[in-house]
Amino acid sequence: SQQGEEDPQALSIQEGENATMNCSYKTSINNLQWYRQNSGRGLVHLILIRSNEREKHSGRLRVTLDTSKKSSSLLITASRAADTASYFCAETSGSRLTFGEGTQLTVNP
Amino acid sequence: GAGVSQSPSNKVTEKGKDVELRCDPISGHTALYWYRQSLGQGLEFLIYFQGNSAPDKSGLPSDRFSAERTGGSVSTLTIQRTQQEDSAVYLCASSLVGREFYGYTFGSGTRLTVV
């Protein structure tokens, strides 16, 4: 199955810095979603950006979408230690949600 | 309920035994997904239920895997004759409608270990 690819695979930053994670996808999407996962268990939906949108904000999160490059980025501003988690992008095409491999973000206090 | 509930949270089984994993979606959610995630990996799609439509089973890795959804609510994922490679976290998610616009709510998963 096709999957998105997150870049980088792992990111370590200091508290207060911004974290940027990128995602590339392969299909013609309806929308793209970002999820967060703590400790390898359930995922939490963070934000959804539709294929006709270019940028979306939610609190300290900013997501961009470039359909010509089939890529998206997730920016977390003013990071906190509690932001430490794995972040996944998920492309939606039809009824299926296809996840990338994820970026492991570590925010050091 | 307030969220998606999965049980058991952990399951250790012997190779060759059958296991059943349960998912209680959020009440009223018409769409339900099963995924599995191996250690340090991304999520692998298994199966999708939407209302009364025939499920999308295209992600099931072998005929040892099956799933059903009774009454449009609770779903069970059954793995027959378990193998060690079946060890993973099995995640269930549900959505309000069969569309993607609202995002999906995930359960905490069942960690399956086949010994």
Side-chain angles (χ1 to χ4, degrees):
Chain A
S1 62
Q2 294 176 321
Q3 288 188 324
E5 298 179 358
E6 278 92 346
D7 166 44
Q9 290 186 329
L11 179 63
S12 182
I13 60 174
Q14 295 300 122
E15 206 165 26
E17 294 180 339
N18 296 340
T20 300
M21 290 161 273
N22 303 297
C23 166
S24 60
Y25 59 91
K26 298 177 181 178
T27 64
S28 296
I29 59 172
N30 301 112
N31 63 63
L32 189 133
Q33 305 179 36
W34 284 89
Y35 287 81
R36 166 196 168 122
Q37 184 181 39
N38 288 75
S39 304
R41 298 307 286 255
L43 280 76
V44 175
H45 179 256
L46 295 177
I47 195 165
L48 178 154
I49 185 165
R50 295 183 172 81
S51 59
N52 62 352
E53 296 176 315
R54 292 298 167 258
E55 187 171 311
K56 199 162 185 179
H57 297 254
S58 176
R60 292 184 297 113
L61 305 180
R62 173 180 166 240
V63 169
T64 62
L65 181 65
D66 187 335
T67 53
S68 66
K69 296 180 180 178
K70 292 190 174 178
S71 67
S72 175
S73 67
L74 171 67
L75 168 68
I76 303 174
T77 60
S79 64
R80 306 166 182 167
D83 294 330
T84 295
S86 292
Y87 292 83
F88 294 87
C89 69
E91 56 187 281
T92 308
S93 179
S95 62
R96 184 176 296 197
L97 197 60
T98 303
F99 288 83
E101 296 295 318
T103 293
Q104 173 60 49
L105 172 67
T106 302
V107 181
N108 302 299
Chain B
V4 176
S5 178
Q6 291 188 246
S7 60
S9 57
N10 287 285
K11 175 72 177 178
V12 179
T13 189
E14 292 182 351
K15 178 181 174 181
K17 294 287 180 69
D18 298 351
V19 294
E20 274 193 2
L21 311 179
R22 177 185 169 107
C23 173
D24 283 274
I26 292 175
S27 179
H29 278 196
T30 57
L32 186 147
Y33 288 78
W34 282 98
Y35 288 84
R36 75 175 175 181
Q37 185 178 32
S38 300
L39 187 63
Q41 301 296 311
L43 278 74
E44 176 188 1
F45 168 79
L46 296 178
I47 189 169
Y48 164 67
F49 295 91
Q50 164 50 18
N52 295 320
S53 303
D56 176 357
K57 303 179 181 181
S58 59
L60 295 178
S62 77
D63 59 9
R64 295 186 295 104
F65 287 73
S66 63
E68 62 177 21
R69 188 178 184 191
T70 54
S73 180
V74 172
S75 176
T76 55
L77 176 68
T78 301
I79 309 173
Q80 296 178 311
R81 305 181 302 282
T82 52
Q83 304 295 312
Q84 288 186 330
E85 60 263 29
D86 299 335
S87 295
V89 176
Y90 289 80
L91 292 161
C92 174
S94 70
S95 175
L96 180 60
V97 294
R99 305 293 297 275
E100 57 278 1
F101 299 107
Y102 299 95
Y104 295 90
T105 303
F106 279 81
S108 297
T110 293
R111 184 179 300 280
L112 175 66
T113 304
V114 182
V115 296

